[in-house]
Amino acid sequence: MRRPIAIALVLLSAIPLVVAVAGLPAHGDPSAPVHTHVSAHYIERGAEEAGATNLVTGVLLNYRGLDAAGEVTVIFTALIAVLAILLGTGTTPESTASSRGASDRRGADRESTVAPVSPIVSFVVRLLAPFIALYAAYVILHGHVTPGGGFQGGAILAGLFIALAMVLGTRAMQPVARTALAPWLQGAAVLSFVVVGTVGAFLTGFFLGFPAEPPLHLVRELLIIALEVGIAIGGAAVLATIFLHMEAS
Amino acid sequence: MTGTEDIRIAVVVGLACAGALFFILGTVGLLRLPDFFSRIHAATKCDTVGAGLLLAALAVLNGAQPATAKIVVLAGLVLLSSPTTGHALARAAHRTGLVPYHAEKE
Amino acid sequence: MSLTFDILLLLYLVAAALVVAQAKDLLAASIVFSSYGLALCLLWQYRGAPDVAMAEAAVGAGITTVLFLVAIGRTTRREK
C-alpha cells in the first residue's frame, strides 16, 4: 500500500519540476535573462572590478561576498554541529584510551580483523603526499586566476590528511590534531571573513568592501587570497577532525 | 605534410589504438573472469596500461609544449596510483580470507 | 555528439541514483554513490564549470565516500 502512494507522490512532485524545466530558456540562448542582465557586466568588467581573473571567484567573493560569508557561516556551523555530536557521544580518543580496560575485548577483536598497512600503499601515499600538498596550495592560492579556490583546495588538503592518517595510523595524527591552535584552524573560514570584512570596512566604508582604486589593487588581491586561505584551512581542519573522531570513536 | 609529421600521426594512432584495445580487454575481463582476483587483475591492466598508452598518445600528439609536461606528470600519477589501488584491493580481499578460484576444484 | 555524451552521463546518473536508493548492501551503495559523484564531476567539467567539478571530485567522490566507509565500518554493512 505504501509503495503506490510513494510512487504517486514522486510523480506528483516531478510533474511541476518537468513543466518548470520545459519553460526555461534553451541552453545557450543569447536572449535568456541570464545573459541579458548582470552576466554581461560581469564578463565585460568583472576582471578589473573584482580583481579576480577567474570570474567565478570574483562573483563568489567580491560581488556577492556577503552571500558567501553567510553561506560559509551556515556550512561551518553545520560541520561544527556534526563534530559536537561526535564529541558528545563520549567516545573521544581520550575516553577510549581511559576506558580501554573495560572495552578490551572489543579492541582485541578489532585488532585481529584490521590488517597492518601495506608497505606498498604506505610508500606510494608518502611519495605522493608532497605533490598533493603542492597541488592543494596551488588550487588555493591560484583560485582567483584559474578554476579552484578555498573550498576545492581545502577538500584536497583534507583528503591528503585522511590518506596520511590511514597510512600512518590515526594515532600519529593526534599531535597535529590536538594542538592548541586546532579550534582556531577549525574556525578559520568564518574568522577570515570577519577579519577581511573589517579591513574592507576601514578601507571602503562597507563591510566586506573591496577597494577598487588602482593603487589598492594589490590589497584587493591579498584580501581575496586571505579569504581563500581561510576557507581552505577551515574546511580542511573541520573535515579532517570529523574523520579522526569517527575513526577514533 | 612532411614525412616526420606522417610518422608522428602514425605513432599517435598506434598508441591510442593500443590503449583503447587494453581498455576493451580490461572491460571484457572485468565482466567475464570468474573471481575477484582475476577481475582485479584485468581492471588494473585496463587502468594502468590503457590510460598510460592513451596519455602517451596525447603527449606525442601535443608535441613539445608546456601542456605535454602536464600529460607526462598525469601519466606518472596513473602509473603509480592504479597498481597501488589494485594491490590494496587484492590485499584486502586476501586478508579477509577470500580464496582464489581454481578450475579443478569444481 | 556533445548532446550524446550529456545524455549518456545523465542516464548513468539516474541509474546510479536508483541503485543507491535500492541497494541493501550499504558498502556497494557508497561505491556507486562515489561513481555518481565522478559522473557528475565529468558532466560539470564538460558543461564548462570546472570550479564546481573540482569541488565535486574532491568532496563528492573522495571525502564523503571515505566518511561513509568509516561509518559503515563502525555500524553494519546491511540495511535493515
Side-chain angles (χ1 to χ4, degrees):
Chain A
M1 188 54 213
R2 285 181 60 191
R3 209 174 164 82
I5 294 177
I7 293 174
L9 275 177
V10 167
L11 288 179
L12 206 65
S13 51
I15 290 168
L17 286 177
V18 171
V19 171
V21 169
L24 289 176
H27 187 87
D29 181 4
S31 63
V34 164
H35 298 302
T36 52
H37 289 78
V38 287
S39 286
H41 178 83
Y42 287 163
I43 290 167
E44 276 170 28
R45 307 282 315 275
E48 58 179 291
E49 273 186 5
T53 322
N54 180 11
L55 285 177
V56 176
T57 306
V59 171
L60 193 72
L61 293 181
N62 192 331
Y63 285 119
R64 39 152 290 186
L66 278 176
D67 299 61
E71 196 182 294
V72 162
T73 312
V74 168
I75 290 175
F76 278 88
T77 311
L79 286 172
I80 298 291
V82 171
L83 258 185
I85 290 172
L86 283 172
L87 291 168
T89 49
T91 46
T92 54
E94 311 102 278
S95 74
T96 39
S98 61
S99 65
R100 186 150 287 275
S103 60
D104 205 14
R105 205 188 58 79
R106 190 175 149 274
D109 277 355
R110 184 140 189 275
E111 218 55 50
S112 62
T113 53
V114 174
V117 177
S118 155
I120 297 176
V121 175
S122 172
F123 173 77
V124 170
V125 168
R126 280 184 291 153
L127 180 71
L128 289 181
F131 297 103
I132 300 175
L134 181 69
Y135 179 60
Y138 162 75
V139 168
I140 295 164
L141 296 177
H142 223 233
H144 59 297
V145 183
T146 51
F151 289 109
Q152 292 88 340
I156 295 170
L157 265 187
L160 170 67
F161 191 87
I162 289 172
L164 281 177
M166 282 177 158
V167 165
L168 303 175
T170 47
R171 198 166 296 273
M173 287 296 166
Q174 295 297 343
V176 190
R178 326 209 117 258
T179 53
L181 271 178
W184 293 97
L185 294 181
Q186 286 157 16
V190 183
L191 285 175
S192 73
F193 268 98
V194 172
V195 170
V196 170
T198 314
V199 171
F202 276 116
L203 288 176
T204 65
F206 300 102
F207 184 75
L208 265 179
F210 290 90
E213 298 82 38
L216 290 174
H217 274 179
L218 185 65
V219 176
R220 186 177 63 181
E221 201 157 322
L222 287 177
L223 288 179
I224 288 180
I225 291 177
L227 283 184
E228 302 268 34
V229 170
I231 293 169
I233 291 175
V238 171
L239 286 173
T241 317
I242 287 177
F243 172 79
L244 277 185
H245 281 292
M246 282 178 83
E247 259 302 287
S249 60
Chain B
M1 184 65 83
T2 60
T4 52
E5 187 68 12
D6 283 342
I7 292 169
R8 197 167 70 102
I9 298 298
V11 168
V12 168
V13 171
L15 285 172
C17 286
L21 181 71
F22 267 98
F23 264 108
I24 292 170
L25 289 178
T27 312
V28 170
L30 190 66
L31 294 171
R32 295 289 301 158
L33 285 175
D35 78 331
F36 180 80
F37 291 104
S38 46
R39 279 191 217 137
I40 270 295
H41 153 85
T44 310
K45 295 294 165 299
C46 158
D47 268 11
T48 318
V49 191
L53 285 173
L54 280 177
L55 285 169
L58 283 179
V60 175
L61 183 66
N62 235 333
Q65 281 181 31
T68 311
K70 289 185 193 172
I71 294 174
V72 170
V73 170
L74 203 57
L77 183 71
V78 167
L79 288 183
L80 261 178
S81 65
S82 172
T84 312
T85 327
H87 158 78
L89 280 171
R91 188 174 187 272
H94 179 68
R95 286 268 177 177
T96 46
L98 194 68
V99 182
Y101 171 84
H102 290 291
E104 63 266 29
K105 276 191 184 168
E106 288 294 293
Chain C
M1 187 58 207
S2 82
L3 205 60
T4 323
F5 191 65
D6 280 352
I7 289 171
L8 279 177
L9 275 178
L10 286 170
L11 284 178
Y12 179 79
L13 285 180
V14 172
L18 287 176
V19 168
V20 170
Q22 287 295 319
K24 291 277 178 239
D25 184 345
L26 295 177
L27 186 61
S30 311
I31 301 301
V32 175
F33 189 64
S34 171
S35 82
Y36 174 94
L38 197 65
L40 202 55
C41 160
L42 278 178
L43 193 61
W44 264 324
Q45 172 66 39
Y46 192 65
R47 273 301 181 192
D51 294 79
V52 194
M54 277 172 88
E56 179 65 34
V59 177
I63 290 173
T64 45
T65 311
V66 173
L67 293 182
F68 280 145
L69 293 186
V70 174
I72 289 169
R74 297 261 142 221
T75 53
T76 61
R77 188 174 158 180
R78 297 270 150 196
E79 189 178 355
K80 283 173 191 156

